[in-house]
Each structure stands twice: as C-alpha cells, then as structure tokens.
Amino acid sequence: MVSFYRLAILCVIAIIFGVFMFFAVIWEPYCFFVKPYYSNDLSTLITSDIYTVGSSNSSSDSKDLIVMLVPSISSELIRRLELIDVNFDDNFSTNLLLLLGNDPYRFSLQYLTKRIKRKVLFLNVGVLFNLFPSGFDPCRTQTSYRVRGKWNYLMMIRFWFKHLFELPQLKNYEYIMRLDDDSKMTGHWINAFDEMRRRKAVYFANNVDIDIEEQLPGTMKLKQVTYEYLKQNHIEPKQPQVLRDAFGNNTVRNYYNNFEIIKMKFFRRKEIRHWIESIDSTNGIFHYRWGDAILRYLTFAIFAKSRQVLHRPDYNLSYCHKCP
C-alpha cells in the first residue's frame, strides 16, 4: 500500500513537471515566467543610476563615452578592455560604461575596476530586454532567429537602434563609442572623438557589409518600407546614391557596427526620432531580424551628408571582431 501511494505521488509530480516543461519550452517563458512590458517611457523603467565600484584609477568629466553591452564579467572581457587602455590615444580621459543585464558579483566588478586605468561605470539595463512595442504579442508570436533565448538577440538590436538614445542616464554625453564585448582594438588608435569634432562628423563607421535575404527572410521588405516612408514624409535623402546602392537584388548593405561612434544629438533630432519610431512600429526587427547594422546604414544614407560620416578603414585603425 505504501509503495502504491509513493508511486501515485511520483506520477503526480511527473505530471506537474510535464505541464511545467510544456509551458516553459512550448508556450515560451514570456508567457509563463516573465511579464512583458509595453511602455515606451524608459524613465519609469530604468530607475537605477550609473554607478562605480571601488576607487577609480582616473576621474573624467569627458562628454565622450565608450559603451559595451556585456552578458557577464570574464577574464577575456577584461583583456579586451585593457587593450583599449593600451591602444586608444586619449590619455585615459574617456570613461568606459558597461551595460549589464543583471547585477553581477561585486568582487568581479572590483577586480575589473582595478585592472582598467580609465574610469569604469556600470548600468543595469536588464529591464529593456523585456520591453516590447505596443501591440506586439511576444507569447504567441514565433521567431525564426533565436540566440540566447527567444527574443534576446532581437532585443539587443532594438536597444542599439532605439533605446540607447532614450536613456536619461546618457543625456549629457555628446559622443558615444560602441564596442561589442567580442571586439578588439589591436593596434594604435588616434583619439577618434577629437577627429569627429574636428571634421564636424556625426558618425564614425566600420566596414560595409551586407545582410542576405536567403539567410534572413524578410530582409528585402525593408526596401519598400523605406521608400514608402520617404514618400509619405516628403523626404529627399541626403545621400541618394548611397541609398540606391543600399539595396541589391537580394541584399541590403550595412555598417558592421560592432564598432561605431555616434553623435548623440544627431539621433535625438525630431525627424530621426520619427524615423526610428516608424521602423520600430512595423515590428520588422522581431518578425524579420532587421538588424541595427542595416538600419544604421539607411539612417545615415537618408539623414546625413557624406562628409559627416567618417570610415574606420580610411584611418587604418586596427580592429577585429570575434578574433582570439
């Protein structure tokens, strides 16, 4: 009799576990574990402040900032950050901001801070990776592009395309350099911020690359969306030939923006905010994986003159992405 009851209890537990796994795997965690947000008011969601850990090796009031979005603090990440200190000719005057999805162990942050010569700042932006456009249903919508979770990679795209320019914590910065956590400065760099000011540039671009329709179905839908937007809003692109060249038969050009430097004021202009919101409202990022790289390329083709865009290869700045 005792064995029968134990068997019954085990069966009940197995059924409960099976139901749990069904919701977790089949129905997706956004419907079971996490409540999605739909508000666009970041000031009510990102309530944490930028912070430092321990005593800083330097102190800077620079209007420039180097930004990385990092999943965790690792020894490899620290080695890449040390290369910035070694190779970037700014006398450690530019602060480094690490954007985190959670609050890591304090001793990891302290160890990192001790190894880096420039001032290191931290900000938790994890809530943004559960923030969806109004009217979008993350529970019932399927994704064809899954990396580190159902929506994580696409949320990253949306962050760099839209949310970066809305963060109230960054409102006082003029120029922001983005580096991905798997990027390296592998040789001597001039102070690219100074060069942008000297040239009155709004963007420092990386190599030109392409996204391919065959690999990312729906990529070419962006051509019709772009030209309809220009027509509806009576916009003449600043670089019409660059815009025409952006779209091939089955490809869209992009700036390989695991490195880029952005003039923040440019992206806060009314007409560019309208463009960003319009693209975001199509949900093309979530349905077709429209990347921030191709969206960045189109943004500058439409709104920036050629002389306002600098190109890393023209300056022979040594750099690599996903290299050992």
Side-chain angles (χ1 to χ4, degrees):
M1 184 66 67
V2 174
S3 298
F4 173 79
Y5 283 126
R6 286 180 177 175
L7 180 61
I9 291 172
L10 289 175
C11 288
V12 171
I13 293 173
I15 292 171
I16 294 173
F17 181 76
V19 171
F20 177 85
M21 291 304 298
F22 171 81
F23 283 113
V25 178
I26 304 300
W27 196 37
E28 301 294 354
Y30 283 102
C31 300
F32 190 70
F33 296 112
V34 181
K35 177 184 176 182
Y37 293 103
Y38 296 95
S39 172
N40 290 321
D41 185 3
L42 297 191
S43 62
T44 63
L45 294 172
I46 301 292
T47 56
S48 57
D49 294 325
I50 292 176
Y51 63 95
T52 59
V53 175
S55 57
S56 176
N57 295 328
S58 64
S59 179
S60 174
D61 294 325
S62 172
K63 294 294 185 179
D64 306 325
L65 188 66
I66 300 170
V67 175
M68 274 191 177
L69 180 65
V70 300
S72 61
I73 306 299
S74 66
S75 57
E76 179 58 31
L77 173 66
I78 294 174
R79 285 193 291 269
R80 292 173 186 270
L81 296 179
E82 288 177 320
L83 286 176
I84 302 175
D85 282 351
V86 171
N87 293 321
F88 192 57
D89 191 7
D90 69 335
N91 197 28
F92 318 121
S93 62
T94 310
N95 293 341
L96 170 66
L97 173 64
L98 298 185
L99 302 173
L100 308 165
N102 50 43
D103 292 319
Y105 292 114
R106 190 174 182 84
F107 72 85
S108 298
L109 304 184
Q110 289 175 326
Y111 179 67
L112 182 154
T113 301
K114 290 178 181 178
R115 293 278 296 272
I116 305 304
K117 294 181 180 179
R118 65 188 64 247
K119 188 174 184 179
V120 184
L121 310 171
F122 305 94
L123 177 64
N124 188 333
V125 294
V127 68
L128 295 183
F129 285 77
N130 193 37
L131 185 67
F132 295 90
S134 298
F136 181 78
D137 188 346
C139 304
R140 295 179 176 83
T141 305
Q142 297 299 313
T143 177
S144 59
Y145 199 86
R146 181 190 297 262
V147 178
R148 297 177 183 171
K150 183 178 181 181
W151 298 116
N152 289 24
Y153 191 88
L154 306 177
M155 286 294 195
M156 181 273 294
I157 290 173
R158 191 172 186 238
F159 172 81
W160 289 115
F161 177 61
K162 171 179 164 64
H163 292 320
L164 177 70
F165 311 107
E166 300 169 336
L167 289 175
Q169 293 85 348
L170 303 184
K171 65 182 179 181
N172 293 325
Y173 289 98
E174 294 178 1
Y175 287 93
I176 285 184
M177 177 193 293
R178 168 194 175 173
L179 286 172
D180 282 5
D181 65 317
D182 50 5
S183 299
K184 276 186 180 181
M185 289 184 177
T186 55
H188 179 262
W189 279 51
I190 63 170
N191 188 327
F193 297 111
D194 288 348
E195 178 66 3
M196 290 188 72
R197 287 190 175 90
R198 186 181 73 83
R199 297 282 300 274
K200 298 180 180 179
V202 298
Y203 192 61
F204 212 124
N206 201 359
N207 297 335
V208 175
D209 201 359
I210 57 171
D211 280 5
I212 304 172
E213 173 73 22
E214 183 179 356
Q215 297 175 354
L216 299 168
T219 295
M220 295 308 299
K221 292 179 183 293
L222 190 54
K223 180 178 182 178
Q224 181 179 354
V225 169
T226 299
Y227 279 101
E228 285 183 355
Y229 179 84
L230 296 180
K231 183 178 180 180
Q232 291 171 3
N233 292 278
H234 310 289
I235 295 174
E236 291 292 332
K238 293 292 193 297
Q239 300 183 72
Q241 187 59 52
V242 172
L243 182 60
R244 285 192 290 269
D245 292 342
F247 299 102
N249 290 332
N250 286 291
T251 61
V252 182
R253 290 189 180 185
N254 66 53
Y255 286 130
Y256 200 38
N257 66 332
N258 38 69
F259 155 76
E260 61 183 351
I261 304 179
I262 298 163
K263 185 171 184 178
M264 297 295 281
K265 186 177 180 179
F266 178 84
F267 273 89
R268 290 170 178 147
R269 284 165 42 181
K270 182 178 179 180
E271 65 271 28
I272 298 180
R273 294 307 309 162
H274 188 273
W275 154 256
I276 290 174
E277 293 297 336
S278 178
I279 291 295
D280 188 57
S281 69
T282 68
N283 296 328
I285 291 173
F286 294 97
H287 289 304
Y288 310 117
R289 194 238 176 251
W290 291 348
D292 51 301
I294 56 175
L295 295 173
R296 199 76 91 221
Y297 190 94
L298 295 174
T299 299
F300 287 103
I302 297 169
F303 295 104
K305 297 177 181 178
S306 59
R307 61 178 172 79
Q308 294 179 292
V309 180
L310 310 183
H311 299 269
R312 182 187 61 80
D314 293 343
Y315 288 83
N316 197 29
L317 301 177
S318 183
Y319 166 86
C320 69
H321 179 241
K322 292 186 177 179
C323 56

